[in-house]
Amino acid sequence: MPGTLRWGILGPGFISTKQTEDLIGNGFAVTAVGSRSEASAREFADRFGIPAAHGSYRALVEDPDVDIVYIGTPHSLHYEQARLALEAGKHVLLEKAFTVTAEQAAVLVELAEKSGLVLLEAMWTRFLPHMVRIREVLAAGTIGEVRTLIADHNQKLPTDPTHRLNDPALAGGALLDLGIYPVSFAWDIFGAPATVRASASMSATGVDRQTAIILGYESGAQALLHTALDTSGPNTATILGADGWIAIDSVWYTPTGFTVFDSSGTVVERYEHEVAPRGMQFQAAELERLVEGGLTAGTVLPPAETVAIMGTLDAIRNQIGLGYPADIMKV
């Protein structure tokens, strides 16, 4: 799976830990880590046996022994940090939500394309084996015309008002942190929505604690999506077709199984596939494949689609009145 490219980790936080475990656990070369403090970078480097630890993000992106920068910081920082890496000539795997706004996303994508660099959204779900198989089942027409997607992403997360998820200054709220998953899944299944409708309940700090979304399509199809950060949920997904349905197990956006039924409820296919360690290696493999193939866009999640998905999130934010400070929305 891995090639000869060298990875640098920008921001040694929780999600970067998971990505690094999957990189190293699958033979990818991780050569450097960068943090705002050298001590934090060194602790992370020592933990994973990474050769270089940098006490600034700039030092990381300017490291000549780094080809690809993985950015796992809060999304309020993504635009600034991805731009820094791209301007240093590095390919970038950028966590989701990709940016705070579609405008920021478009600027980054244009910069990457002009520079001949790969900029890939780290929507790891797109590249997992069960999602690959689901797209094959749908393409084969096994459940007929696809009519409806029902998906949720609900978690009971910290209620501390200073936590990043509850802080508008850090682009907090359920939508960008959790809702991005079902919204992106709807784009994967149906493409661009013709209509966007959303309703939210806001927290005391002014971010959405739960949001319900209905995306409508020219075909008459619908995506019924829900996200919340203050309550646990089943985190399952169902795709309904004219001739059957696909029930994706919990947790649908992580490596899991699914069952395909015909319209009478008879099982047509049961899919299970073991993935280790977590499954974030598949998006890394896709980025390396693009770089080594001299490509800047793939078919599973091209940069233009990432920008368009951010546009859908913008529309939802506007409908529910989720506002952020101007400084984290600037370009």
Side-chain angles (χ1 to χ4, degrees), residues 168-237:
L170 297 177
L175 179 64
L176 293 193
D177 208 84
L178 308 179
I180 176 64
Y181 282 88
V183 169
S184 182
F185 191 20
W187 265 86
D188 193 15
I189 299 299
F190 295 118
T195 60
V196 178
R197 298 177 183 176
S199 177
S201 300
M202 309 305 283
S203 72
T205 61
V207 301
D208 66 312
R209 64 175 185 81
Q210 69 168 348
T211 297
I213 304 160
I214 301 176
L215 303 180
Y217 301 86
E218 295 291 351
S219 66
Q222 293 181 327
L224 312 179
L225 316 174
H226 187 265
T227 185
L229 53 69
D230 63 350
T231 181
S232 299
N235 292 323
T236 56

Side-chain angles (χ1 to χ4, degrees), residues 19-238:
Q19 180 67 70
T20 302
E21 288 174 347
D22 278 6
L23 287 170
I24 293 175
N26 286 277
F28 292 84
V30 180
T31 55
V33 58
S35 178
R36 289 173 294 183
S37 78
E38 190 166 348
S40 177
R42 175 47 57 194
E43 187 279 331
F44 192 90
D46 290 345
R47 177 180 175 184
F48 289 105
I50 298 170
H54 298 290
S56 74
Y57 299 140
R58 182 170 294 279
L60 172 71
V61 302
E62 292 179 350
D63 188 330
D65 293 323
V66 170
D67 303 303
I68 303 168
V69 174
Y70 167 77
I71 299 176
T73 54
H75 43 258
S76 57
L77 304 172
H78 286 180
Y79 174 74
E80 174 187 349
Q81 294 169 344
R83 185 159 192 164
L84 186 71
L86 291 168
E87 289 175 345
K90 308 301 185 184
H91 306 285
V92 175
L93 179 61
L94 182 59
E95 266 304 333
K96 88 310 280 176
F98 194 71
T99 49
V100 179
T101 68
E103 183 182 15
Q104 290 179 336
V107 171
L108 292 179
V109 168
E110 182 179 7
L111 175 59
E113 290 175 348
K114 286 183 177 179
S115 304
L117 297 168
V118 177
L119 173 59
L120 180 65
E121 180 186 1
M123 178 48 74
W124 64 305
T125 304
R126 289 281 183 109
F127 305 98
L128 293 175
H130 75 288
M131 286 296 178
V132 174
R133 179 57 190 151
I134 284 170
R135 285 192 290 269
E136 292 172 347
V137 171
L138 295 179
T142 305
I143 65 169
E145 180 188 12
V146 181
R147 303 278 176 79
T148 310
L149 168 67
I150 305 170
D152 78 303
H153 187 182
N154 298 318
Q155 296 190 35
K156 193 170 182 61
L157 297 172
T159 57
D160 180 354
T162 65
H163 191 282
R164 70 169 186 86
L165 287 168
N166 304 308
D167 188 351
L170 297 177
L175 179 64
L176 293 193
D177 208 84
L178 308 179
I180 176 64
Y181 282 88
V183 169
S184 182
F185 191 20
W187 265 86
D188 193 15
I189 299 299
F190 295 118
T195 60
V196 178
R197 298 177 183 176
S199 177
S201 300
M202 309 305 283
S203 72
T205 61
V207 301
D208 66 312
R209 64 175 185 81
Q210 69 168 348
T211 297
I213 304 160
I214 301 176
L215 303 180
Y217 301 86
E218 295 291 351
S219 66
Q222 293 181 327
L224 312 179
L225 316 174
H226 187 265
T227 185
L229 53 69
D230 63 350
T231 181
S232 299
N235 292 323
T236 56
T238 305

Side-chain angles (χ1 to χ4, degrees), residues 258-281:
F258 65 84
T259 305
V260 183
F261 299 88
D262 66 18
S263 57
S264 68
T266 300
V267 174
V268 175
E269 177 181 342
R270 174 63 193 169
Y271 179 89
E272 294 178 347
H273 183 92
E274 290 294 325
V275 172
R278 188 170 187 255
M280 298 175 77
Q281 66 270 25

